[in-house]
C-alpha cells in the first residue's frame, strides 16, 4: 500500500571505517572538525562520569548556532562494527529540537565532519520520513490502515465494528510484525499522518502495547 502516509522522524547516522578501525576513525573526526563544529572533551567527561553507558571510545562534538542550524551537542558511540553511531543530539540553547531541526544538524555533521574526515567510509543515514510500512509487515500495516479508514476518530476502537478491525490489526502485528512499530511511533503516526485526536491516539497506543505484550506472553506459556 504505497499511498500510506509517512511522518517526519529523527534520522539515524552510522559510519563504518573502510579499515574497520574505530579508534583511528575517532582521531580523524576530531582532527577534521572545524567551525562551527568543535570536539568537546569536557562533555565527554561529564557523560562518561555519569556512567550512563560504558565510556570507552565515545566522542562528542558541539556545534555553534548559525543561520543554518541550532547550537547542539552531538554524541557518538562505537557501533561494534568498526565505526560509530550518533546516539543523541542535544540542544545547547533551545529547549528542544524538532525532527526537522535535529535532522538538519545531523546532516550537517555528516557532510562537514564525517565525509571530510573519512570520505571512503561507509555512511548510513536513515530516511527523514517513515511510516507503518517501514516499521512493520505489509499485512500489519494494511490492517492498521484499514482500521484508520473506517474507525470513528472520536471513539477509537470502542464501536463493535471498529473494535473488530482494531483486533484484526493487533493479531496481524503479533503474527507478522516486528518491533519497530513502537507504541510511541504508533501514537505519533495516528496524530500527525491521520489526524487522530492526541488523547485517543495515546489510548490506542497504550492498548496496543498491552495487547502485544499479552499475546507474546501467551505464546511463550502455551
Amino acid at each position: 500500500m504505497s499511498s500510506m502516509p509517512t511522518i517526519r522522524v529523527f534520522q539515524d547516522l552510522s559510519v563504518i571505517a573502510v579499515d574497520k578501525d574505530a579508534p583511528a576513525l575517532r582521531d580523524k573526526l576530531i582532527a577534521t572538525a572545524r567551525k562551527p563544529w568543535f570536539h568537546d572533551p569536557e562533555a565527554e567527561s561529564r557523560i562518561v562520569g555519569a556512567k550512563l553507558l560504558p565510556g570507552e571510545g565515545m566522542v562528542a562534538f558541539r556545534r555553534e548556532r548559525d543561520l543554518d542550524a541550532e547550537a547542539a551537542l552531538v554524541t557518538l558511540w562505537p557501533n561494534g562494527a568498526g565505526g560509530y553511531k550518533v546516539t543523541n543530539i542535544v540542544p545547547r540553547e533551545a529547549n528542544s529540537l524538532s525532527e526537522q531541526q535535529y535532522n538538519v544538524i545531523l546532516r550537517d555533521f555528516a557532510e562537514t565532519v564525517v565525509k571530510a574526515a573519512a570520505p571512503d567510509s561507509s555512511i548510513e543515514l536513515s530516511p527523514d520520513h517513515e511510516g507503518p510500512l517501514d516499521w512493520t509487515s505489509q499485512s500489519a500495516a494494511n490492517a492498521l490502515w484499514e482500521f484508520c479508514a473506517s474507525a470513528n476518530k472520536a471513539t477509537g476502537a470502542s464501536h463493535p465494528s471498529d473494535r473488530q478491525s482494531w483486533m484484526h490489526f493487533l493479531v496481524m502485528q503479533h503474527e507478522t510484525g516486528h518491533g519497530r512499530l513502537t507504541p510511541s511511533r504508533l501514537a505519533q503516526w495516528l496524530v500527525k499522518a491521520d489526524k487522530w485526536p492526541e488523547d485517543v491516539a495515546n489510548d490506542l497506543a497504550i492498548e496496543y502495547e498491552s495487547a502485544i505484550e499479552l499475546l507474546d506472553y501467551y505464546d511463550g506459556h502455551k
Side-chain angles (χ1 to χ4, degrees):
M1 190 175 293
S2 59
S3 61
M4 191 176 299
T6 60
I7 59 173
R8 191 185 299 274
V9 295
F10 295 108
Q11 291 179 273
D12 293 322
L13 173 65
S14 294
V15 54
I16 300 176
V18 65
D19 55 4
K20 305 294 181 67
D21 189 343
L25 175 61
R26 182 183 189 275
D27 292 341
K28 290 177 182 179
L29 294 174
I30 292 172
T32 304
R34 296 291 186 273
K35 187 176 181 179
W37 290 99
F38 301 90
H39 178 223
D40 196 335
E42 292 184 5
E44 293 172 3
S45 296
R46 291 196 306 271
I47 294 168
V48 173
K51 297 181 179 179
L52 300 178
L53 288 169
E56 184 176 357
M58 72 86 58
V59 60
F61 295 89
R62 71 178 186 277
R63 190 191 196 283
E64 293 182 344
R65 185 177 183 274
D66 58 19
L67 295 177
D68 296 322
E70 296 290 332
L73 179 71
V74 176
T75 55
L76 298 91
W77 296 80
N79 61 12
Y84 277 85
K85 176 181 175 62
V86 172
T87 55
N88 202 10
I89 299 178
V90 179
R92 295 175 54 235
E93 297 174 2
N95 291 326
S96 61
L97 296 172
S98 67
E99 288 90 346
Q100 183 173 5
Q101 290 171 321
Y102 183 103
N103 293 343
V104 166
I105 295 168
L106 186 68
R107 290 194 294 266
D108 182 63
F109 179 75
E111 288 291 330
T112 62
V113 179
V114 178
K115 289 186 179 180
D120 296 328
S121 63
S122 174
I123 299 173
E124 297 181 1
L125 185 65
S126 67
D128 63 353
H129 281 75
E130 292 183 344
L133 288 172
D134 300 295
W135 303 327
T136 189
S137 67
Q138 178 84 52
S139 57
N142 288 348
L144 174 61
W145 191 231
E146 290 167 5
F147 164 72
C148 292
S150 60
N152 183 336
K153 289 183 172 59
T155 58
S158 298
H159 190 277
S161 61
D162 296 339
R163 193 72 183 166
Q164 184 173 356
S165 62
W166 172 250
M167 291 295 186
H168 175 63
F169 157 64
L170 293 176
V171 170
M172 296 309 318
Q173 172 62 18
H174 173 65
E175 290 182 346
T176 69
H178 50 81
R180 292 199 68 213
L181 182 57
T182 62
S184 61
R185 279 179 170 156
L186 175 61
Q188 290 174 12
W189 183 83
L190 289 171
V191 172
K192 296 179 179 179
D194 204 41
K195 311 305 179 187
W196 284 74
E198 188 170 346
D199 59 337
V200 179
N202 287 335
D203 287 345
L204 288 172
I206 292 170
E207 183 175 343
Y208 164 79
E209 181 176 32
S210 298
I212 296 302
E213 183 179 359
L214 177 61
L215 290 167
D216 287 343
Y217 180 87
Y218 174 77
D219 280 352
H221 291 77
K222 286 182 180 179

